[in-house]
Amino acid sequence: MKYMLMIMAADKDADNGCTFEDWVAYAKELKDSGVWVSGHALADLVTATTVQVGASGERTVTDGPFAETREVLGGYDIIDVADLDEALKWAARCPGSRGGGAVVVRPVADFGN
Amino acid sequence: MSEQASSSVESIFREEHGRLLASLVRRFGDLDLAEEVAAEAIEAALTHWPVDGVPHKPGAWLLTTARRKAVDRLRRDQAYAARLAILQVEADRADPAPPADRGGDLPDDRLQLFFTCAHPALPAEDRGALTLRCLAGLTTPEVARAYLVPPATMAQRIVRAKKKIREARIPFRVPGADELPERLPGVLQVLYSIFTEGYAASSGPELQRLDLAEEAIRLARILHRLLPGEREVTGLLALLLLTHARRAARTGMYGELMLLADQDRSRWDRAMIAEGEPLVVAALSGGPPGRYGVQAAIAALHDEAADFASTDWPQIVALYDVLLTIMPSPVVELNRAAAVAMRDGPAAGLALLDELAGEPKLRGYHLYPLARADLLERLGRTEEAATAYREALELAGSEPDRAHLRDRLVALEGKDHGP
């Protein structure tokens, strides 16, 4: 069963007290355990651009989002584990879950193949 | 079937439902399938038992019947075909033992169902509902009535919770010893909140919902049997028993609220108190006490007192001090202040209550102005007391609570304007 761990920073300039080495160690643990499927860290939020297509087909491109919301997606991992409890354990070990950050765990939909 | 026989069959179903469901979930890993075949097995029992008599081991009969139905269903259902192989249900199917002769000591799988229903990944308000549905065997309309929501709303919530269990794959399992301290409090909280809704209904015409309180006690007994070594489980069961023992005295002749001070103690359930007391001792022995153990000890001291005045208030204040170190909360502070008022006089209690005045968690909690009103009245500060009673009246939810407050207010005003 695949789960996406969405790593949400507390805010765009968040320093959650975790070092680069913590992230490297976490990535290594994930890979060594054999549960890791794929994942990426996202570049800084200031580089984000939003595209919307309206009802009449016109395209709007805007800078951002510079979310008013506290939580900003910083990256994700997809892991393959037996059940939600195991996914939650990996989420809890992620440095992104600490210091005001959060990791949202979502099952990857399975459409039968 | 005679009425008596059918009510005994019903009590068998109630007793067996949780166990049956848990065994089926363990085997098939699918709550919906388990519920459907459990219902079918009960239906089959309703057909056969009146004719053939109730089998010697009704639980085993139901389980075998339900398992056969599940296997048949899985065979028919293409979507389950792949899973069928994994489940090794063939072995079950070939099970030569006739239903009635299967061992009476069925493994008890209810523990894992307790943990699944109380899983922290489920919405907090659905955990109690799911527990009543799966472990207590209440129907969805009964659960809806328990939580005073329309049946359709409750049905939606239960469907949503089951969908999350299935699709997010919340496991059916008992947490390991290393996870138990993290997960058990959630299970206890579910049982406690079912009980408190029964103890003091948050709204509606009745003060107590005895069926709900009794269901919580029944589930707590089961949990205690499954986890006899967990002191907080013991403490919770003790707390529920020692509190519920006072149920008959908590309302007066017209269903009105009777405060502890005014209760007719001869109406307390002595057998239940006697059952709870050794559990308190067990809950408080062999390690630092937990919140339920301490609360049970406080309840025991109230139950032991011959009358309100002779209650061991110093000991109760001391227990509240312990409780505050385990679970600091303004509600506990409020209760402690009331005990201090009994130990040291109303002025001392009132001083403590006034310290809690700005507490956001007590805003909207009618027992706070009520406690103040009571102490102000005892201090002879009648006008302030009346104001506080009115505040409490505005916040109280259940009708008996409101009636009680109106009576106090009328009595107070009578005192004020009387001769």
Side-chain angles (χ1 to χ4, degrees), chain A residues 1 3 82-85 89 107, chain B residues 119 121 167-171 173:
Chain A
M1 177 98 177
Y3 294 86
D83 57 42
L84 183 67
D85 278 358
K89 274 185 198 164
Chain B
H119 199 284
E167 293 188 1
R169 204 173 290 177
I170 291 176
R173 67 183 184 96

Side-chain angles (χ1 to χ4, degrees), chain A residues 15-28 41 94-96 98:
Chain A
D15 170 16
N16 69 352
C18 293
T19 63
F20 182 70
E21 285 70 33
D22 292 333
W23 286 98
V24 172
Y26 177 64
K28 184 171 173 354
C94 176
R98 288 192 271 284

